[in-house]
Amino acid sequence: MRVLALDSSGLVASVAIVEEEQTVAEYTVNYKKTHSQTLLPMLDEIVKMTDMDLQTIDAIAVAGGPGSFTGLRIGSATAKGLGLALNKPLIHIPTLEGMAYNLVDSASIICPIMDARRNQVYTGIYRFVDGEFKILEDQIAISVEELIQKLNEMDEKVVFLGDGVPVYAKQLKEGLKISFTFAPANMNRQRASSVGLLGIEYLKQGKTETAREHEPNYLRVSQAERERNERQKAKESKEI
């Protein structure tokens, strides 16, 4: 099997072509440019460097959220466009599951955290059991305090990764009563190769969708929507 993988859910933009036994190519950038400027040129470079015919891929795996609203829309639109043009199925990979897959076969509980602002994180809790990926806590937006409480109650060693680590490391160190570590620099952010590898597993299980069906999962409404709802509530209360 061969899968094209895309991840633009956070600060990192990443594109990869992955097969069952190897990563054919991966292009990852964690810099200031916007994903609308980088994602397609990165894909084009990979295709040129590998002489890859995209018709030979079996599916397109895309990090489907949560994450940056703009980044998710760019990744979703790119995957949908490619899926329609190539007539290939899409594999929706929850962002936190893709990140957890960076640490395949870790002996610790894996807890990716993405900064969701307002002292909240997007997170999930995962582990590998005899090589099989297990979801202990599905991805959710919660406060850092709630996450610390959950992990303390589980009373097992945890490894953290994601852009929420530098933001909340001090809070985690002060609140956690369990053993924990932070993933190394080469594994601590989104990687399309991990999205692709998990995508192959989900493809084997038949977890695909059409390009028209695919929609990103934001987990919560955008700031603009929150502000609009707050204005609407304020207006309605005045009318009452």
Side-chain angles (χ1 to χ4, degrees):
M1 289 183 177
R2 177 180 290 168
V3 166
L4 167 65
L6 308 170
D7 194 329
S8 59
S9 59
L11 298 174
V12 175
S14 188
V15 180
I17 296 172
V18 179
E19 296 175 350
E20 290 183 76
E21 296 182 354
Q22 66 173 344
T23 297
V24 177
E26 183 175 27
Y27 193 158
T28 300
V29 175
N30 184 7
Y31 196 59
K32 299 174 183 178
K33 292 183 179 179
T34 63
H35 298 328
S36 59
Q37 294 175 296
T38 56
L39 207 61
L40 282 173
M42 288 162 63
L43 173 59
D44 186 54
E45 186 69 19
I46 280 179
V47 169
K48 287 178 181 176
M49 290 292 290
T50 60
D51 294 322
M52 181 70 66
D53 179 358
L54 289 180
Q55 285 293 347
T56 65
I57 66 170
D58 296 290
I60 300 162
V62 58
S68 155
F69 286 81
T70 301
L72 289 174
R73 284 193 288 268
I74 291 168
S76 175
T78 303
K80 286 167 78 77
L82 288 167
L84 290 169
L86 299 170
N87 193 28
K88 301 292 182 180
L90 267 59
I91 309 164
H92 182 125
I93 303 296
T95 300
L96 281 306
E97 292 182 27
M99 291 176 67
Y101 226 72
N102 285 3
L103 303 173
V104 169
D105 283 343
S106 170
S108 303
I109 287 175
I110 304 167
C111 185
I113 54 175
M114 297 176 70
D115 183 17
R117 309 292 174 87
R118 299 187 175 190
N119 203 44
Q120 285 198 324
V121 291
Y122 296 123
T123 189
I125 303 174
Y126 311 92
R127 79 178 328 149
F128 286 88
V129 180
D130 296 328
E132 186 176 352
F133 185 57
K134 300 286 187 181
I135 300 171
L136 303 183
E137 183 86 31
D138 206 359
Q139 54 184 23
I140 192 174
I142 61 173
S143 69
V144 180
E145 290 84 357
E146 288 178 272
L147 176 60
I148 288 171
Q149 183 179 342
K150 279 179 182 289
L151 293 172
N152 281 336
E153 289 171 356
M154 295 179 77
D155 195 26
E156 294 189 54
K157 185 176 180 179
V158 178
V159 56
F160 293 97
L161 69 158
D163 61 38
V165 169
V167 180
Y168 298 109
K170 183 174 183 289
Q171 205 168 336
L172 292 171
K173 290 174 182 177
E174 291 174 350
L176 288 169
K177 298 178 175 61
I178 54 172
S179 176
F180 66 92
T181 59
F182 298 128
N186 62 321
M187 296 292 184
N188 68 6
R189 294 292 188 274
Q190 287 91 333
R191 293 189 61 170
S193 55
S194 296
V195 171
L197 188 61
L198 183 55
I200 287 175
E201 293 304 311
Y202 284 173
L203 182 58
K204 291 176 182 177
Q205 298 170 28
K207 295 181 180 179
T208 64
E209 59 189 1
T210 67
R212 295 187 188 279
E213 291 171 332
H214 175 75
E215 294 292 340
N217 176 17
Y218 299 111
L219 274 190
R220 68 181 195 185
V221 298
S222 68
Q223 182 177 345
E225 289 175 287
R226 286 198 304 271
E227 291 174 353
R228 184 182 63 195
N229 291 338
E230 288 168 3
R231 287 196 299 270
Q232 185 62 31
K233 286 179 182 178
K235 181 181 177 182
E236 289 173 354
S237 64
K238 286 181 181 179
E239 290 174 351
I240 293 171

